[in-house]
Amino acid sequence: MLATYVLLELVVHARRVLIWAVIALLLAVSLHPAVEALRRRVPRCRRSVATLLVFLAAAVAVGAVVAVFVIPLAQEGSRLAGRLPGLIRDAQAGRGPVGHVLERTHALRYVQRHQAQIRAFATGLSTPALRFVRGVATTATGALTVFVLAYLMVLEGPKAIDRSLALVDAAPAARIRRVGAACARTVNGYLTGNLLISLICGLLTYVMLLVSGVPFAGLLALFVAVTDLIPLVGATIGAVVASAVAFVHSLPAGIGAVVFFIVYQQAENHLLQPFVLSRTVRLNPLTVLLAILIAAEVAGILGALLAIPVTGIIQVVLGDLWAHRRGRPLRLPMSVANGPEDAEGTGDAE
């Protein structure tokens, strides 16, 4: 009883590190096939070198995506800073697009009557701003930690697995390798399916914004595609930002964007996501939808993130147990059975 209590307390206090470790594990599983593919193409390439090259390529890809956002935002931010005094004067006088909106909605009168309260509210924003800065620092630290953990998992994980399996007999070790390969395939299928769904979301968003004439359609579509990777709230964040920019452009474009995102998110949550993930993870669409809903209700965003891979892993393990009870070993596709997981025992010598 005491040991259980201590373990629960440890999990509660170390939950942030545990979350980072889980995300790092997903990243390591997704990048491990690339490391093995590089080693197969370059036979003399050491694991350490292949791992370093793959992670450097991943870092460059992430940096390129960040640069695509940061450079246009910096340029537009400098333009906005130069135009901001004029916009404020026009808004106060009821001129310009912002001023007309404020005048029509009677918001300008409210601002003029409550200037003291607005100044007090703006002054009180220092604490949330400080929290935001701290949040950014924590996020950067977490991203770096996840990257380092994933790198070490890919680099040292196969050796640790080989040493652990050397402690058991050959038949159970082979069975564990087969099940582990199937579980890794499930996780990779989930990640691939999630990326495919986000790509579809980004392309459809780009077409919608392009037809509506909204500026920076490509940048906004990329932002929506990236945020769509975040379970539960990601699609909403992308939709709100894109719709806000569309409203600034014109009222019809904003209304069209809102209608598009409402229809698309319903289709993605109830049709596209269950269908794609049922093909990549090989789960029944109903199982996919129920797993996401239940996990999101129990554990929030983290639960939604892990719902599909965990459900797929449970299906693999239960299938293996059922097959062995009937005397029929779990059969895997050749691409999995002969994949990098099976080759680790013989190909890790450096």
Side-chain angles (χ1 to χ4, degrees), residues 4-23:
T4 303
Y5 175 78
V6 171
L7 180 61
L8 291 176
E9 284 293 318
L10 180 63
V11 170
V12 170
H13 285 85
R15 60 185 180 275
R16 179 180 297 176
V17 177
L18 294 177
I19 292 173
W20 289 349
V22 170
I23 298 174

Side-chain angles (χ1 to χ4, degrees), residues 48-137:
S48 57
V49 176
T51 304
L52 180 61
L53 291 176
V54 169
F55 272 79
L56 284 177
V60 169
V62 173
V65 172
V66 172
V68 167
F69 287 115
V70 171
I71 294 176
L73 288 178
Q75 294 174 346
E76 291 305 309
S78 62
R79 293 178 189 173
L80 179 61
R83 296 172 54 191
L84 191 59
L87 291 174
I88 293 176
R89 287 194 300 268
D90 291 342
Q92 290 175 341
R95 298 190 303 266
V98 178
H100 291 159
V101 172
L102 293 177
E103 185 68 33
R104 264 185 259 157
T105 58
H106 304 289
L108 185 59
R109 297 177 187 175
Y110 178 86
V111 171
Q112 293 172 345
R113 291 175 184 175
H114 300 83
Q115 288 184 5
Q117 293 90 330
I118 293 174
R119 287 197 192 97
F121 174 76
T123 304
L125 289 177
S126 58
T127 301
L130 182 59
R131 291 177 182 172
F132 174 76
V133 172
R134 290 177 180 173
V136 171

Side-chain angles (χ1 to χ4, degrees), residues 284-296 307-308 311:
N284 183 277
L286 179 61
T287 305
V288 171
L289 184 58
L290 288 177
I292 294 175
L293 294 176
I294 294 173
I308 304 305
T311 303

Side-chain angles (χ1 to χ4, degrees), residues 5-333:
Y5 175 78
V6 171
L7 180 61
L8 291 176
E9 284 293 318
L10 180 63
V11 170
V12 170
H13 285 85
R15 60 185 180 275
R16 179 180 297 176
V17 177
L18 294 177
I19 292 173
W20 289 349
V22 170
I23 298 174
L25 180 61
L26 293 177
L27 180 61
V29 171
S30 63
L31 293 181
H32 180 262
V35 174
E36 293 299 327
L38 180 59
R39 295 187 66 200
R40 286 195 298 270
R41 288 182 175 274
V42 186
R44 295 184 179 180
C45 184
R46 297 164 63 92
R47 172 174 289 278
S48 57
V49 176
T51 304
L52 180 61
L53 291 176
V54 169
F55 272 79
L56 284 177
V60 169
V62 173
V65 172
V66 172
V68 167
F69 287 115
V70 171
I71 294 176
L73 288 178
Q75 294 174 346
E76 291 305 309
S78 62
R79 293 178 189 173
L80 179 61
R83 296 172 54 191
L84 191 59
L87 291 174
I88 293 176
R89 287 194 300 268
D90 291 342
Q92 290 175 341
R95 298 190 303 266
V98 178
H100 291 159
V101 172
L102 293 177
E103 185 68 33
R104 264 185 259 157
T105 58
H106 304 289
L108 185 59
R109 297 177 187 175
Y110 178 86
V111 171
Q112 293 172 345
R113 291 175 184 175
H114 300 83
Q115 288 184 5
Q117 293 90 330
I118 293 174
R119 287 197 192 97
F121 174 76
T123 304
L125 289 177
S126 58
T127 301
L130 182 59
R131 291 177 182 172
F132 174 76
V133 172
R134 290 177 180 173
V136 171
T138 302
T139 302
T141 303
L144 181 60
T145 304
V146 166
F147 197 79
V148 173
L149 285 175
Y151 176 81
L152 293 176
M153 286 178 183
V154 175
L155 183 62
E156 301 294 338
K159 297 178 184 177
I161 293 174
D162 289 340
R163 290 166 185 165
S164 300
L165 293 180
L167 301 177
V168 300
D169 295 334
R175 179 183 175 186
I176 293 173
R177 284 189 182 277
R178 288 197 302 270
V179 175
C183 292
R185 177 180 173 277
T186 296
V187 174
N188 278 322
Y190 164 72
L191 296 174
T192 303
N194 213 10
L195 288 173
L196 178 60
I197 293 172
S198 294
L199 178 62
I200 294 173
C201 178
L203 289 176
L204 293 178
T205 302
Y206 176 73
V207 172
M208 182 272 298
L209 295 175
L210 193 64
V211 171
S212 302
V214 178
F216 307 108
L219 181 63
L220 288 171
L222 180 60
F223 176 77
V224 171
V226 172
T227 55
D228 193 61
L229 293 171
I230 305 173
L232 292 180
V233 298
T236 303
I237 293 173
V240 168
V241 172
S243 299
V245 176
F247 269 113
V248 171
H249 174 67
S250 68
L251 183 61
I255 295 175
V258 170
V259 172
F260 165 79
F261 283 116
I262 291 176
V263 173
Y264 173 77
Q265 287 185 19
Q266 294 301 315
E268 178 183 296
N269 293 336
H270 297 93
L271 295 175
L272 183 62
Q273 192 175 63
F275 177 79
V276 172
L277 293 181
S278 67
R279 295 296 186 273
T280 56
V281 188
R282 296 190 177 180
L283 287 174
N284 183 277
L286 179 61
T287 305
V288 171
L289 184 58
L290 288 177
I292 294 175
L293 294 176
I294 294 173
E297 185 69 23
V298 172
I301 294 178
L302 182 63
L305 179 67
L306 299 178
I308 304 305
V310 169
T311 303
I313 290 173
I314 292 174
Q315 176 179 263
V316 170
V317 173
L318 292 179
D320 177 74
L321 294 175
W322 176 253
H324 276 76
R325 285 197 63 177
R326 300 180 62 186
R328 298 177 181 177
L330 179 66
R331 294 184 179 273
L332 301 178

